Amino acid sequence: MIVRPRTNLLKLFFVMRGSVVPRILPQILGFALYGAAVVAAIKLLKLDLGDAGVAPFALLGVALSVYLGFRNNAAYDRWWEARKLWGQLVFEIRNLSRAATAMISDRDELRPLLMDSLAFCHFLRGELRRVDTREAARPFIGDAIDEIHAATNRPDAAMRRMGEKIGALKRAKVLEAMDYRILDERLAAISALQAGCERIMGTPLPFAYTLLLQRTAYIFCLLLPFGLAGSAGWVTPLFTALIAYTFFGLDALSEELEDPFGMEANDLALDGLCRVCEISVFEALGETPPPMLPAENFYYS
Amino acid sequence: MIVRPRTNLLKLFFVMRGSVVPRILPQILGFALYGAAVVAAIKLLKLDLGDAGVAPFALLGVALSVYLGFRNNAAYDRWWEARKLWGQLVFEIRNLSRAATAMISDRDELRPLLMDSLAFCHFLRGELRRVDTREAARPFIGDAIDEIHAATNRPDAAMRRMGEKIGALKRAKVLEAMDYRILDERLAAISALQAGCERIMGTPLPFAYTLLLQRTAYIFCLLLPFGLAGSAGWVTPLFTALIAYTFFGLDALSEELEDPFGMEANDLALDGLCRVCEISVFEALGETPPPMLPAENFYYS
Amino acid sequence: MIVRPRTNLLKLFFVMRGSVVPRILPQILGFALYGAAVVAAIKLLKLDLGDAGVAPFALLGVALSVYLGFRNNAAYDRWWEARKLWGQLVFEIRNLSRAATAMISDRDELRPLLMDSLAFCHFLRGELRRVDTREAARPFIGDAIDEIHAATNRPDAAMRRMGEKIGALKRAKVLEAMDYRILDERLAAISALQAGCERIMGTPLPFAYTLLLQRTAYIFCLLLPFGLAGSAGWVTPLFTALIAYTFFGLDALSEELEDPFGMEANDLALDGLCRVCEISVFEALGETPPPMLPAENFYYS
Amino acid sequence: MIVRPRTNLLKLFFVMRGSVVPRILPQILGFALYGAAVVAAIKLLKLDLGDAGVAPFALLGVALSVYLGFRNNAAYDRWWEARKLWGQLVFEIRNLSRAATAMISDRDELRPLLMDSLAFCHFLRGELRRVDTREAARPFIGDAIDEIHAATNRPDAAMRRMGEKIGALKRAKVLEAMDYRILDERLAAISALQAGCERIMGTPLPFAYTLLLQRTAYIFCLLLPFGLAGSAGWVTPLFTALIAYTFFGLDALSEELEDPFGMEANDLALDGLCRVCEISVFEALGETPPPMLPAENFYYS
Amino acid sequence: MIVRPRTNLLKLFFVMRGSVVPRILPQILGFALYGAAVVAAIKLLKLDLGDAGVAPFALLGVALSVYLGFRNNAAYDRWWEARKLWGQLVFEIRNLSRAATAMISDRDELRPLLMDSLAFCHFLRGELRRVDTREAARPFIGDAIDEIHAATNRPDAAMRRMGEKIGALKRAKVLEAMDYRILDERLAAISALQAGCERIMGTPLPFAYTLLLQRTAYIFCLLLPFGLAGSAGWVTPLFTALIAYTFFGLDALSEELEDPFGMEANDLALDGLCRVCEISVFEALGETPPPMLPAENFYYS
């Protein structure tokens, strides 16, 4: 994720980090060249293409604006919902820490439970980013990590481990019925947001939207120079490139946000959020928390 | 449901799986031919149709963009809500497993309860897809399946079976008042999402929207060649086909998403989600879970 | 409510059930005749109306599309929220049945409570549709119906009756504190959705929206032939009628959905939903449920 | 709030109650006169203003439609949320009545608690409408009204009074722990919706939106006659007035809905909602409820 | 935050407080001058730029309206959600006061707990505005402030302090299990809204949106004079400035609302909201509350 202060006008056009321009440069340049080629061909061959102009493109634009607007909103909603789910993870971990600290006075019971919750965070991050987070989680729960790692759904296995711990504490009468319920509610809430994250990761936007949008955008940009050439002459390549920039720029950004758990410039800073959880847990235990993760060139991983 | 990696430009135009093009090809080709016929007729008969051009179509486009945008948003919301409900099912099954495992130490009481929950998932899938899932559910609860199958609302019958089980456990004092409440909350939540799924399945978008949109789109495309022919000449069929593609493509996709429980390319992967539930329950019981369902040509059933 | 399979192209233009065309036919035909009269007048009287054409109408279209889009979204949201509330009623009745069955072993205590809940459904339906549902509810609670019927707010009176029943069961120690709470939560949830339905019924969309939209649409269609006549000639009446169709069609549909509890073609099938509740309660009691209500020409009342 | 049956076409243009026309008549007439003056000046002075026509206005319309659509949606959402909050108040009062009636058998304890809740409703209404509702609340709690009236936040003071009552009942063992919790949840929910109403009342839409929208709309309408005059001639004043009507009509309506607790034609019927609460409480106590408030010329206060 | 009564027409154009005009004046004037320069250059050099006119700009407008509309909605949603979270803080503090007052009769236990909650509000305000609020919080909890100030996450530390207090009260049997649960729910809710505020503060809108929107808007306005000059002549600078005003005005406002916790004219009045909490707590304790914060030139800090 990119977090940076407002840039001034000159820099605005040269910022590359976080911009989608590098990804869509081939399309922009390609359509500029293509537009120039069309104009040249028309002028050389003295082609007569009627005088429909750009009016038919405005009709196509009706549907295209519906597509672009919809896809962008849907992708952003996925991204923002993912961020909300991780924000909930942060406060559920805090609530768990606060409640468990008040209920469980034996530190040897308390600490492993909270360490499990941190391991959960890292396993969830690993599942969502499809990376191996075993070593990141090992400091918290040691070799129990391997047992969890063997499960099909690792965060769920970490969650069950916590469930067993509080179940045992209840049977040992350390936790009263109401205490158990409070902690169980926390685990249920964390489980809910795990399922929310899995939903976003596992269910992309229907593939047909991407096809519909990209095909229409390509055809639009391929035909546009023929509509513009008659009246706009050599400005045609510029406009074609500009319109390709607006269409494919939003398309590329939507694609990035659609899967918010990746590691691209605009994706969520899951590493940083795991660290926020760690800080809350260690401060709740009265131990020295690790430092926040620093940004690298405005980028938080 | 289709889950596939990004395709390159060349493939983009030839992907058929998940695309709506095969379904709307008759309309696209039909309007192209019709457009050509109109141009030919005008040229042959030297018809004079005034010079209104495409301007009146832009006025029609105002209402049409409202229709297209609305219908697409409503259909997608139904699809995404359906997916959310099944995501909730996954975590409610997990919560039920975790809580029940902690509360019920007698495995002979625990296992049948959790198996009932898996049977519930399959009966819900069967109800929503209007298929017979008796054999899929039989491994979990054996011949009790037939009794449930006889009920008018089968998932509700499976739910009542679970309700009776935890009611009996409460009367037998296996479950304390608070334990019973926790499990009852899980069942209530599962019941809520069943009702949500039934709502989406049983209440389509008001039929009048489909009529309004399709009638307007057909009339628009039928009149368009007359407006274009004067200025665009033989490009008219191309534009008519393109605009038909954008209108009917979105229309066809909306129709597919509107009923998200079907088995078309963009519908939800209910089979896979049932399997996710199975894996969680079996892992909670410490038994070997079945493998995830593989995709077939990027398609998850 | 209309639930029907997809129609083919030919039928599409002749379907009347569920369509808004019959309601707006006067406007469509009226504007077609009016458009023809304007063209005739201009041609006969050789009027010169300047050459503004349709461009000023495009400016008016900006605001009109905002009005149409907004009103349609708001009306649909009311309709869909109403459907959600009734879906919640279904599962709250199921939850009440399941929980009460597990808690109250004396059938003479259980059955009247659940019958009250069915009476509640019918009284709610009666209140929302402004019909007398006394006879529909009588089979469930007998002559107690008349006492409830005398109350100002009948569903609320039925709800209080249930509240008194579970209060008495609690005082008689049939229900423990936690059991009482579980049932009280169910009643509170049902009460919440009753208030939601009353809100939708009693608070229409602000009247000024209807005025603003209809006045603008009428003026737009009244002026349009003057703008079109110059360039479009005798096609003017066709376009005027078409645009009237798109504006007043959406307007009529919005008006129908705005009050979702009526008995028009696109309104909610409250009779059917009451029957779904009855089936769930009777199956929970182990009694033979009544059959589902059949559709009549695709229409569910 | 205006609730009226559908009007016919003729009446449509003469309805004034609930319409925003009276409020924006100065703008409409002013722009009509101004448009006429511009046309006259151009014709008299034979000004040559180039031939840009209305095309640049279409570009301005892009941003203007975003402003109008956004502001209207935001204002309506505030209005509808306010209505939802008051709908919740109705059912929370009903829930409180039902639960308290079941729990508190001593009528001398029960009645004052429920009367306090009615006083709360009136104090909330008074706070939101900035009117003195002391006399409206006096019949319910007598002279205790003056003590509450002295507080900075009066509804909050009424709420604390209820909190003290149920706290005292708990200490007196009239309410068990679970009973207390149920009633406390009701009070917490009522407190939540009070804060929601205060949020809507105290936080208007950011002032900059109003400025941006109105400035742009005024400049648009001031320049428009110059763009239209060349082609539309003496129809210019009519179009200018019409477009002013669509812009300022929506603007005026948004402004009315933005503060939904006022007493204008389209504002919420808080008096009526307070009466609905009174009816529910008196019926729950078995006393004769007051009659519903009648509408006056379709207007509910 | 600006709260002011409706201004009249004349004042409308001169209001600066709360307006975004001062911030975007450089762009407006710059584009006016630039437009004039382009027209002058074209006229002097007799450049021939074809006759494409403004039609290609309408195509660019399609994407631009999607960008502007989306960004504005997203920014406003962040602002309004932030306001909701603080509204929830108000009522959670009230609920905590009311519940704690009823449960904890020893004033020496009660008062410090509620004072902690006020310190929490100020630390949260300090964290969100990145200001030092130690002195504002000191009157409530004295020197304990420094210990909290040393923590990485100060509001979380204040929250843990409250958690420890109610944990100790529970162990001392001052609070029963159910009482503890009620207060713990309050703390959990406050913790949830803290995490919500941190999410909004720490996760800006994806940076790529700002780039995409501003780059397109700049290029649009830079090219526009070339499209307008041919037909609009010396009116070109006026239109260019106007369109720059609508684009950059909304852009600037979105940027202000995007980070709602700042101290700019349209940001939230966190100081005032903290004071509302203080008033509720002091009135609940029966102490004299501090006065509301007055506005300064319609501005609430």
Side-chain angles (χ1 to χ4, degrees), chain D residues 242-257:
Chain D
L242 253 178
I243 283 175
Y245 168 67
T246 60
F247 289 171
F248 293 102
L250 193 57
D251 175 61
L253 181 50
S254 296
E255 206 164 280
E256 209 168 295
L257 296 184

PDB file of all heavy atoms in Angstrom, chain D residues 242-257:
ATOM      1  N   LEU D 242     -36.731  26.118 -17.797  1.00  0.00           N
ATOM      2  CA  LEU D 242     -36.896  24.684 -17.561  1.00  0.00           C
ATOM      3  C   LEU D 242     -35.664  24.088 -16.900  1.00  0.00           C
ATOM      4  O   LEU D 242     -35.755  23.302 -15.944  1.00  0.00           O
ATOM      5  CB  LEU D 242     -37.086  23.985 -18.905  1.00  0.00           C
ATOM      6  CG  LEU D 242     -38.478  23.490 -19.208  1.00  0.00           C
ATOM      7  CD1 LEU D 242     -38.490  22.866 -20.576  1.00  0.00           C
ATOM      8  CD2 LEU D 242     -38.888  22.476 -18.159  1.00  0.00           C
ATOM      9  N   ILE D 243     -34.513  24.432 -17.433  1.00  0.00           N
ATOM     10  CA  ILE D 243     -33.281  23.857 -16.879  1.00  0.00           C
ATOM     11  C   ILE D 243     -33.036  24.393 -15.479  1.00  0.00           C
ATOM     12  O   ILE D 243     -32.611  23.656 -14.578  1.00  0.00           O
ATOM     13  CB  ILE D 243     -32.121  24.106 -17.868  1.00  0.00           C
ATOM     14  CG1 ILE D 243     -32.275  23.082 -19.003  1.00  0.00           C
ATOM     15  CG2 ILE D 243     -30.774  23.959 -17.185  1.00  0.00           C
ATOM     16  CD1 ILE D 243     -31.317  23.233 -20.126  1.00  0.00           C
ATOM     17  N   ALA D 244     -33.366  25.679 -15.257  1.00  0.00           N
ATOM     18  CA  ALA D 244     -33.271  26.204 -13.891  1.00  0.00           C
ATOM     19  C   ALA D 244     -34.209  25.429 -12.967  1.00  0.00           C
ATOM     20  O   ALA D 244     -33.860  25.110 -11.825  1.00  0.00           O
ATOM     21  CB  ALA D 244     -33.618  27.688 -13.878  1.00  0.00           C
ATOM     22  N   TYR D 245     -35.405  25.084 -13.476  1.00  0.00           N
ATOM     23  CA  TYR D 245     -36.350  24.320 -12.664  1.00  0.00           C
ATOM     24  C   TYR D 245     -35.771  22.973 -12.264  1.00  0.00           C
ATOM     25  O   TYR D 245     -35.840  22.565 -11.098  1.00  0.00           O
ATOM     26  CB  TYR D 245     -37.660  24.134 -13.439  1.00  0.00           C
ATOM     27  CG  TYR D 245     -38.595  23.128 -12.846  1.00  0.00           C
ATOM     28  CD1 TYR D 245     -39.205  23.346 -11.608  1.00  0.00           C
ATOM     29  CD2 TYR D 245     -38.886  21.939 -13.506  1.00  0.00           C
ATOM     30  CE1 TYR D 245     -40.058  22.411 -11.054  1.00  0.00           C
ATOM     31  CE2 TYR D 245     -39.747  21.001 -12.966  1.00  0.00           C
ATOM     32  CZ  TYR D 245     -40.326  21.245 -11.739  1.00  0.00           C
ATOM     33  OH  TYR D 245     -41.164  20.311 -11.192  1.00  0.00           O
ATOM     34  N   THR D 246     -35.152  22.255 -13.237  1.00  0.00           N
ATOM     35  CA  THR D 246     -34.633  20.929 -12.883  1.00  0.00           C
ATOM     36  C   THR D 246     -33.463  21.026 -11.915  1.00  0.00           C
ATOM     37  O   THR D 246     -33.344  20.216 -11.003  1.00  0.00           O
ATOM     38  CB  THR D 246     -34.201  20.136 -14.134  1.00  0.00           C
ATOM     39  OG1 THR D 246     -33.183  20.863 -14.817  1.00  0.00           O
ATOM     40  CG2 THR D 246     -35.354  19.895 -15.070  1.00  0.00           C
ATOM     41  N   PHE D 247     -32.595  22.028 -12.083  1.00  0.00           N
ATOM     42  CA  PHE D 247     -31.443  22.128 -11.184  1.00  0.00           C
ATOM     43  C   PHE D 247     -31.858  22.597  -9.789  1.00  0.00           C
ATOM     44  O   PHE D 247     -31.530  21.974  -8.780  1.00  0.00           O
ATOM     45  CB  PHE D 247     -30.403  23.114 -11.738  1.00  0.00           C
ATOM     46  CG  PHE D 247     -29.669  22.618 -12.951  1.00  0.00           C
ATOM     47  CD1 PHE D 247     -28.838  23.470 -13.668  1.00  0.00           C
ATOM     48  CD2 PHE D 247     -29.783  21.309 -13.379  1.00  0.00           C
ATOM     49  CE1 PHE D 247     -28.150  23.027 -14.781  1.00  0.00           C
ATOM     50  CE2 PHE D 247     -29.098  20.855 -14.499  1.00  0.00           C
ATOM     51  CZ  PHE D 247     -28.287  21.722 -15.203  1.00  0.00           C
ATOM     52  N   PHE D 248     -32.615  23.721  -9.749  1.00  0.00           N
ATOM     53  CA  PHE D 248     -32.908  24.295  -8.443  1.00  0.00           C
ATOM     54  C   PHE D 248     -34.021  23.545  -7.723  1.00  0.00           C
ATOM     55  O   PHE D 248     -34.120  23.585  -6.502  1.00  0.00           O
ATOM     56  CB  PHE D 248     -33.208  25.788  -8.583  1.00  0.00           C
ATOM     57  CG  PHE D 248     -32.008  26.549  -9.016  1.00  0.00           C
ATOM     58  CD1 PHE D 248     -31.837  26.967 -10.317  1.00  0.00           C
ATOM     59  CD2 PHE D 248     -30.981  26.795  -8.106  1.00  0.00           C
ATOM     60  CE1 PHE D 248     -30.694  27.632 -10.716  1.00  0.00           C
ATOM     61  CE2 PHE D 248     -29.837  27.463  -8.504  1.00  0.00           C
ATOM     62  CZ  PHE D 248     -29.688  27.877  -9.811  1.00  0.00           C
ATOM     63  N   GLY D 249     -34.862  22.842  -8.519  1.00  0.00           N
ATOM     64  CA  GLY D 249     -35.882  22.013  -7.880  1.00  0.00           C
ATOM     65  C   GLY D 249     -35.241  20.895  -7.075  1.00  0.00           C
ATOM     66  O   GLY D 249     -35.577  20.665  -5.911  1.00  0.00           O
ATOM     67  N   LEU D 250     -34.285  20.197  -7.694  1.00  0.00           N
ATOM     68  CA  LEU D 250     -33.619  19.118  -6.976  1.00  0.00           C
ATOM     69  C   LEU D 250     -32.790  19.682  -5.826  1.00  0.00           C
ATOM     70  O   LEU D 250     -32.738  19.096  -4.731  1.00  0.00           O
ATOM     71  CB  LEU D 250     -32.736  18.322  -7.938  1.00  0.00           C
ATOM     72  CG  LEU D 250     -32.242  16.991  -7.392  1.00  0.00           C
ATOM     73  CD1 LEU D 250     -33.392  16.108  -6.986  1.00  0.00           C
ATOM     74  CD2 LEU D 250     -31.401  16.259  -8.414  1.00  0.00           C
ATOM     75  N   ASP D 251     -32.183  20.833  -6.075  1.00  0.00           N
ATOM     76  CA  ASP D 251     -31.392  21.467  -5.021  1.00  0.00           C
ATOM     77  C   ASP D 251     -32.258  21.801  -3.817  1.00  0.00           C
ATOM     78  O   ASP D 251     -31.885  21.515  -2.668  1.00  0.00           O
ATOM     79  CB  ASP D 251     -30.756  22.744  -5.596  1.00  0.00           C
ATOM     80  CG  ASP D 251     -30.018  23.536  -4.548  1.00  0.00           C
ATOM     81  OD1 ASP D 251     -29.072  22.982  -3.975  1.00  0.00           O
ATOM     82  OD2 ASP D 251     -30.389  24.694  -4.295  1.00  0.00           O
ATOM     83  N   ALA D 252     -33.444  22.374  -4.071  1.00  0.00           N
ATOM     84  CA  ALA D 252     -34.320  22.766  -2.958  1.00  0.00           C
ATOM     85  C   ALA D 252     -34.827  21.542  -2.208  1.00  0.00           C
ATOM     86  O   ALA D 252     -34.921  21.529  -0.974  1.00  0.00           O
ATOM     87  CB  ALA D 252     -35.492  23.591  -3.491  1.00  0.00           C
ATOM     88  N   LEU D 253     -35.138  20.489  -2.963  1.00  0.00           N
ATOM     89  CA  LEU D 253     -35.633  19.277  -2.312  1.00  0.00           C
ATOM     90  C   LEU D 253     -34.525  18.640  -1.465  1.00  0.00           C
ATOM     91  O   LEU D 253     -34.756  18.198  -0.325  1.00  0.00           O
ATOM     92  CB  LEU D 253     -36.136  18.297  -3.376  1.00  0.00           C
ATOM     93  CG  LEU D 253     -36.702  16.980  -2.880  1.00  0.00           C
ATOM     94  CD1 LEU D 253     -37.718  17.198  -1.789  1.00  0.00           C
ATOM     95  CD2 LEU D 253     -37.337  16.219  -4.020  1.00  0.00           C
ATOM     96  N   SER D 254     -33.298  18.605  -2.019  1.00  0.00           N
ATOM     97  CA  SER D 254     -32.177  18.050  -1.254  1.00  0.00           C
ATOM     98  C   SER D 254     -32.009  18.811   0.048  1.00  0.00           C
ATOM     99  O   SER D 254     -31.769  18.227   1.108  1.00  0.00           O
ATOM    100  CB  SER D 254     -30.880  18.139  -2.068  1.00  0.00           C
ATOM    101  OG  SER D 254     -30.957  17.341  -3.217  1.00  0.00           O
ATOM    102  N   GLU D 255     -32.150  20.135  -0.050  1.00  0.00           N
ATOM    103  CA  GLU D 255     -31.958  20.938   1.150  1.00  0.00           C
ATOM    104  C   GLU D 255     -33.019  20.635   2.203  1.00  0.00           C
ATOM    105  O   GLU D 255     -32.737  20.629   3.398  1.00  0.00           O
ATOM    106  CB  GLU D 255     -32.005  22.411   0.772  1.00  0.00           C
ATOM    107  CG  GLU D 255     -31.223  23.257   1.740  1.00  0.00           C
ATOM    108  CD  GLU D 255     -30.965  24.608   1.135  1.00  0.00           C
ATOM    109  OE1 GLU D 255     -30.035  24.717   0.327  1.00  0.00           O
ATOM    110  OE2 GLU D 255     -31.706  25.539   1.450  1.00  0.00           O
ATOM    111  N   GLU D 256     -34.253  20.376   1.727  1.00  0.00           N
ATOM    112  CA  GLU D 256     -35.328  20.062   2.665  1.00  0.00           C
ATOM    113  C   GLU D 256     -35.098  18.705   3.342  1.00  0.00           C
ATOM    114  O   GLU D 256     -35.273  18.545   4.553  1.00  0.00           O
ATOM    115  CB  GLU D 256     -36.655  20.052   1.893  1.00  0.00           C
ATOM    116  CG  GLU D 256     -37.855  20.425   2.721  1.00  0.00           C
ATOM    117  CD  GLU D 256     -39.069  20.677   1.829  1.00  0.00           C
ATOM    118  OE1 GLU D 256     -39.062  21.629   1.024  1.00  0.00           O
ATOM    119  OE2 GLU D 256     -40.007  19.887   1.942  1.00  0.00           O
ATOM    120  N   LEU D 257     -34.663  17.721   2.547  1.00  0.00           N
ATOM    121  CA  LEU D 257     -34.478  16.365   3.086  1.00  0.00           C
ATOM    122  C   LEU D 257     -33.218  16.264   3.929  1.00  0.00           C
ATOM    123  O   LEU D 257     -33.118  15.397   4.805  1.00  0.00           O
ATOM    124  CB  LEU D 257     -34.394  15.350   1.953  1.00  0.00           C
ATOM    125  CG  LEU D 257     -35.635  15.193   1.090  1.00  0.00           C
ATOM    126  CD1 LEU D 257     -35.422  14.079   0.093  1.00  0.00           C
ATOM    127  CD2 LEU D 257     -36.856  14.904   1.942  1.00  0.00           C
TER     128      LEU D 257
END
